[in-house]
């Protein structure tokens, strides 16, 4: 796969880059960002994946996430993919912010017309890791994953489905049980069909109920988040983790909303938390 450099900028003594390539998984061009912290020649470093939320691209966290200082301090590569396939030939629901482009939900769609391009699960779990390993100084034995909202859903489900791949998993305001909330019911129903049993592999609470486990988990959730009660329902994850014996640190952050002001406020905490678990 040929990787094209869109931009590279010096930041915190490292390099913030944006790159594009032709994806076999999605059948489209894809763009992602990578921050490589300062390092000695020949060194390889752990990687923290960040999955973005509804309506976002790689650019939102790259421009607003405030992760670079912490990543430079702890020697962690930070990777931010896009949230869906892009392009004129990609089907969309232009008048619906929560479906189509910008709303891939990190699934491999099985229904037409979505199944041809909406294969974000394969892209994140298989194709992009191979591309990253071939082009950047990453230690793929030391991976961590986090994400926000829809991306928090992606981080949790990818972590739960791939035991042993990630040394640590965290999330910011994740959609924890998409099978039970409007955003998820809409997306999973239209991407995957009406058989709700097939949705369970894309639902963190359902995966835990079905036996998937993580050694521990960190979640930050703002109490002033206007999506908390209807769409996010953090209490479902807390209950599932308690029943399963998963050591979940779920922090309800007083007065914080769903925005990148919230994410930026706690991003360094998450980078440090992951860095501790990525050492060695």
């Amino acid at each position: 796969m040929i990787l094209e450099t869109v931009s590279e900028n010096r930041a915190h003594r490292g390099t913030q880059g944006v790159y594009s390539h032709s994806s076999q998984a999605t059948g489209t061009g894809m763009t992602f960002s990578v921050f490589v912290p300062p390092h000695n020649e020949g060194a390889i470093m752990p990687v923290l994946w960040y999955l973005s939320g509804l309506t976002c691209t790689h650019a939102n966290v790259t421009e607003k996430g405030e992760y670079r200082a912490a990543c430079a301090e702890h020697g962690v590569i930070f990777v931010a993919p896009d949230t869906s396939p892009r392009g004129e030939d990609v089907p969309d629901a232009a008048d619906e912010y929560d479906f189509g482009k910008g709303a891939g939900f990190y699934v491999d769609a099985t229904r037409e017309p979505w199944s041809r391009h909406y294969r974000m699960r394969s892209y994140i779990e298989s194709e992009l890791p191979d591309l990253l390993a071939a082009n950047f100084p990453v230690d793929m034995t030391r991976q961590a994953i986090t994400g926000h909202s829809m991306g928090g859903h992606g981080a949790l489900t990818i972590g739960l489905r791939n035991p042993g791949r990630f040394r640590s998993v965290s999330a910011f305001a994740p959609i924890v049980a998409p099978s039970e909330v409007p955003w998820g019911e809409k997306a999973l129903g239209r991407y995957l069909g009406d058989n709700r049993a097939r949705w369970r592999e894309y639902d963190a609470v359902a995966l835990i109920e079905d036996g998937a486990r993580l050694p521990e988990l960190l979640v930050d959730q703002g109490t002033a988040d206007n999506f908390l009660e209807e769409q996010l329902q953090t209490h479902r994850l807390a209950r599932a983790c308690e029943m399963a014996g998963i050591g979940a640190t779920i922090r309800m952050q007083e007065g914080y909303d769903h925005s990148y002001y919230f994410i930026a406020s706690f991003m360094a905490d998450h980078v440090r938390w992951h860095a501790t678990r990525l050492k060695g």
Side-chain angles (χ1 to χ4, degrees):
M1 290 180 285
I2 299 174
L3 189 66
E4 297 184 3
T5 299
V6 177
S7 64
E8 287 185 337
N9 297 93
R10 188 75 166 166
H12 292 275
R13 297 179 297 111
T15 301
Q16 176 63 66
V18 177
Y19 308 94
S20 65
H21 70 109
S22 179
S23 169
Q24 295 179 0
T26 67
T28 68
M30 295 295 289
T31 301
F32 63 98
S33 75
V34 181
F35 175 70
V36 179
H39 59 282
N40 295 326
E41 185 176 353
I44 56 174
M45 293 165 284
V47 57
L48 174 58
W49 296 84
Y50 176 91
L51 305 184
S52 294
L54 287 167
T55 75
C56 292
T57 70
H58 69 281
N60 298 76
V61 71
T62 305
E63 296 170 0
K64 303 175 183 178
E66 299 184 20
Y67 55 84
R68 279 173 285 267
C71 286
E73 178 183 353
H74 297 285
V76 175
I77 290 175
F78 191 96
V79 180
D82 202 347
T83 52
S84 76
R86 308 281 177 175
E88 293 183 2
D89 295 334
V90 176
D92 191 19
D95 58 343
E96 302 175 61
Y97 78 94
D98 54 355
F99 191 79
K101 292 180 185 177
F105 265 82
Y106 304 100
V107 307
D108 278 358
T110 57
R111 294 188 70 190
E112 296 292 343
W114 317 105
S115 57
R116 179 182 177 188
H117 297 296
Y118 283 79
R119 299 184 54 80
M120 292 302 295
R121 173 180 178 174
S122 292
Y123 180 69
I124 299 296
E125 289 187 356
S126 300
E127 184 176 26
L128 191 54
D130 289 345
L131 186 65
L132 193 72
N135 290 277
F136 298 92
V138 292
D139 181 352
M140 298 302 282
T141 69
R142 294 188 289 159
Q143 297 186 69
I145 192 167
T146 189
H148 171 235
S149 193
M150 180 186 72
H153 140 76
L156 294 177
T157 55
I158 290 170
L160 286 162
R161 285 196 308 262
N162 293 275
R165 176 181 291 193
F166 301 99
R167 295 198 182 185
S168 50
V169 178
S170 75
F172 301 87
I175 307 169
V176 304
S179 298
E180 306 298 331
V181 301
W183 275 343
E185 288 183 314
K186 177 178 182 177
L188 298 180
R190 290 167 70 176
Y191 287 136
L192 303 175
D194 296 332
N195 183 355
R196 297 176 74 97
R198 298 177 63 188
W199 301 5
R200 295 184 70 82
E201 63 185 306
Y202 296 108
D203 183 308
V205 169
L207 283 165
I208 293 170
E209 291 173 348
D210 292 345
R213 294 292 182 266
L214 294 170
E216 59 181 331
L217 181 64
L218 172 64
V219 172
D220 277 308
Q221 171 63 61
T223 62
D225 189 324
N226 59 318
F227 300 117
L228 176 56
E229 292 187 9
E230 182 180 26
Q231 305 284 9
L232 307 178
Q233 300 195 359
T234 313
H235 66 278
R236 290 180 180 268
L237 179 65
R239 183 169 62 243
C241 288
E242 181 179 5
M243 295 293 291
I246 296 173
T249 300
I250 298 178
R251 308 188 300 192
M252 301 302 295
Q253 302 291 1
E254 188 66 31
Y256 285 89
D257 60 18
H258 201 68
S259 72
Y260 266 87
Y261 294 109
F262 156 65
I263 297 168
S265 297
F266 300 100
M267 178 65 83
D269 285 352
H270 282 241
V271 172
R272 284 191 291 267
W273 186 83
H274 287 290
T276 298
R277 288 149 182 81
L278 289 167
K279 289 180 179 177

